[in-house]
Amino acid sequence: MFEPTLIIAAASLVGLCVVAFALLKAWQGWLALKQRELDANPREIEAGVGNSAARIEIADLKERIKKLEAIASGVDL
């Protein structure tokens, strides 16, 4: 009636769909969790500092990143 290859292929396709659906639901749950975290905790950089202070802080962080990248690549500053 049905060939074993056809049954295996159909079962594999159904299994793949189940796994894909489960992963999609997990991804949506993770995104919802992160959204709740962002809504609950406002950004630290905006908490009580002005716009210019935030820019200075970002520039300082960028400089630190450049130094760390130079250290990682073996460049001596």
Side-chain angles (χ1 to χ4, degrees):
M1 184 170 188
F2 290 109
E3 292 185 32
T5 308
L6 181 63
I7 294 172
I8 292 171
S12 298
L13 183 60
V14 169
L16 180 65
C17 290
V18 168
V19 169
F21 182 74
L23 289 173
L24 178 62
K25 293 299 280 183
W27 176 252
Q28 289 174 344
W30 185 81
L31 287 176
L33 173 68
K34 291 299 175 184
Q35 185 64 41
R36 284 193 304 264
E37 286 179 359
L38 287 173
D39 292 341
N41 298 327
R43 291 184 182 181
E44 292 178 15
I45 199 166
E46 295 176 357
V49 296
N51 202 12
S52 60
R55 288 183 182 159
I56 292 171
E57 187 175 346
I58 289 173
D60 182 47
L61 291 174
K62 286 182 180 180
E63 186 63 32
R64 287 184 189 178
I65 290 171
K66 286 180 185 177
K67 287 180 182 179
L68 289 174
E69 287 175 344
I71 291 170
S73 66
V75 175
D76 193 21
L77 297 176

